[in-house]
Amino acid sequence: MKNEINQPSIQVGISACLVGNEVRYNGGHTQSRLCLDLLSQCFKFTSFCPEVEAGFGIPRPTMRLTGDPTSPQLVFSNDSTSDLTAQLVKGFEKKLPEMGHLDGYILMKNSPSCGLERVKVYQPNGHPHQIRTAGVFAKALKEQYPLMPIEEEGRLHDDKLFDNFVLRVYAYSNFRKEVLEQPSLHKLMVFHSRYKYLLMAHNQDKCRTLGRLLGANKNESLEELTHTYFSSFIEALSKPASRKNHANALFHILGYLKGNLSSMGREHIVEIIHNYNKGLTPLTTPLTLLKHHLMQHGSAYIKDQRYLEPYPEKISPMVRYL
């Protein structure tokens, strides 16, 4: 299956400093070449800086979080007496409901407003708590859109985290377009069918549970069923798949070539999958070989599996899952 895209159609929010806007406290930026050179080929970015939107000037004093890590206050680093939290919230609270069209969000790490996790919260003695937290805007964004894929730019330089984030963005977008626009049980089942092996690679228990949910549903309304499915689906994809689970999915897909390969050809693919599982080759090696044979001999069902290409190849990391 191909995900051909001529123009970026996946809309993703991003911290304004990451696209090169000079909105940082010092009047600078933290431009991300990963986002601008690679992800921009398939993502249409919508940039936003909550601190500028809240009226904090450029340049401005640095800010940090203080107090209780579960409910910290935003203050200027050189003046902890003024609570700036309400001002920051006022700057983004009307914007949050307008972000429902986004399929994902990329945030600036360590920021007291945009950091997704591991943001320091300082004690009165000037030392940070051991407990870290999310920035004020990042926390509100997660609460407003709990299923939306959200990630820090810094973590996207890890191939596994990059792959997982991008496939989740595409899965989130596909579900919204293919199911939520005009929900029906049939559309839910078609969607689940296409994502079966991707789900299997990420969470075999969730894959089986979701299948049973659709097959045995009798009491839930379509709205409830759709919400329950979508929540569990996103949760299943929330962590990168393990080599063991990938290998299991690959062997299942190989089964669809039964009768179309010589015994030698099958043994060759089995060996390559085992080598992948041992960490000797990247995922692209067995996957590319299987896709080659499936194009010739695979059924329409297996060719339509999004596991084979969860997002466009042009933005795949050079090596997947080394």
Side-chain angles (χ1 to χ4, degrees):
M1 190 183 98
K2 295 293 182 182
N3 284 321
E4 297 291 340
I5 294 183
N6 296 319
Q7 296 294 330
S9 61
I10 305 293
Q11 300 191 66
V12 172
I14 189 170
S15 294
C17 57
L18 293 173
V19 296
N21 293 350
E22 296 177 337
V23 295
R24 295 276 287 168
Y25 70 94
N26 58 1
H29 60 75
T30 49
Q31 189 178 79
S32 169
R33 299 318 313 174
L34 176 70
C35 293
L36 296 182
D37 294 344
L38 183 59
L39 291 176
S40 64
Q41 296 182 55
C42 292
F43 291 171
K44 180 179 180 181
F45 287 122
T46 297
S47 63
F48 180 68
C49 177
E51 294 177 16
V52 172
E53 193 69 25
F56 297 112
I58 306 172
R60 56 186 175 274
T62 59
M63 290 184 272
R64 65 184 185 181
L65 299 179
T66 64
D68 183 351
T70 63
S71 183
Q73 296 179 335
L74 180 72
V75 301
F76 285 124
S77 299
N78 60 1
D79 180 11
S80 61
T81 61
S82 299
D83 186 354
L84 309 171
T85 313
Q87 182 178 345
L88 181 67
V89 172
K90 186 177 180 180
F92 66 69
E93 63 182 354
K94 292 183 179 180
K95 294 289 184 178
L96 276 178
E98 300 174 6
M99 296 178 180
H101 68 289
L102 299 175
D103 294 312
Y105 215 105
I106 301 174
L107 294 165
M108 178 62 196
K109 68 177 183 178
N110 298 330
S111 164
S113 57
C114 291
L116 184 59
E117 54 185 33
R118 302 188 303 277
V119 178
K120 294 179 180 179
V121 180
Y122 289 86
Q123 305 175 66
N125 62 12
H127 296 293
H129 287 278
Q130 288 188 339
I131 299 173
R132 303 295 174 91
T133 190
V136 179
F137 170 68
K139 182 179 180 181
L141 180 67
K142 288 172 64 178
E143 291 175 349
Q144 181 85 14
Y145 303 104
L147 302 183
M148 180 188 289
I150 304 174
E151 188 55 275
E152 290 181 342
E153 189 273 346
R155 285 166 49 90
L156 295 179
H157 293 269
D158 177 291
D159 278 356
K160 287 185 179 180
L161 298 180
F162 175 98
D163 180 88
N164 183 253
F165 173 71
V166 178
L167 75 82
R168 283 189 291 126
V169 169
Y170 270 85
Y172 184 87
S173 177
N174 288 336
F175 191 87
R176 280 155 37 94
K177 293 174 182 175
E178 297 170 14
V179 178
L180 293 184
E181 286 186 0
Q182 291 184 314
S184 72
L185 180 58
H186 174 71
K187 288 183 177 180
L188 265 174
M189 296 183 76
V190 170
F191 181 88
H192 180 73
S193 175
R194 290 173 176 167
Y195 271 94
K196 178 179 178 179
Y197 289 103
L198 194 63
L199 282 167
M200 181 184 290
H202 280 78
N203 191 316
Q204 295 180 43
D205 290 338
K206 283 284 186 184
C207 182
R208 288 189 289 267
T209 299
L210 287 171
R212 288 194 295 268
L213 176 69
L214 297 181
N217 173 64
K218 293 181 180 179
N219 300 319
E220 284 187 296
S221 67
L222 177 61
E223 182 179 1
E224 291 172 331
L225 177 63
T226 301
H227 177 73
T228 300
Y229 181 92
F230 196 19
S231 298
S232 295
F233 174 78
I234 292 297
E235 183 182 353
L237 300 185
S238 63
K239 295 182 180 180
S242 67
R243 284 184 178 271
K244 180 180 178 181
N245 281 355
H246 267 303
N248 179 59
L250 292 167
F251 279 125
H252 273 81
I253 292 173
L254 177 59
Y256 284 87
L257 293 172
K258 185 178 180 180
N260 298 113
L261 293 175
S262 65
S263 59
M264 184 177 296
R266 180 180 174 81
E267 288 174 5
H268 175 60
I269 297 177
V270 168
E271 181 183 3
I272 288 177
I273 295 175
H274 280 309
N275 284 341
Y276 160 72
N277 196 28
K278 295 175 184 176
L280 302 177
T281 62
L283 179 60
T284 49
T285 303
L287 196 55
T288 300
L289 186 57
L290 280 173
K291 287 166 66 174
H292 170 74
H293 289 290
L294 289 172
M295 287 300 295
Q296 300 177 59
H297 307 295
S299 65
Y301 167 78
I302 197 63
K303 288 179 181 178
D304 206 31
Q305 287 298 311
R306 284 190 162 126
Y307 178 82
L308 301 174
E309 191 176 322
Y311 56 84
E313 291 182 348
K314 62 184 177 181
I315 59 170
S316 294
M318 290 294 291
V319 179
R320 290 181 67 191
Y321 298 111
L322 271 180

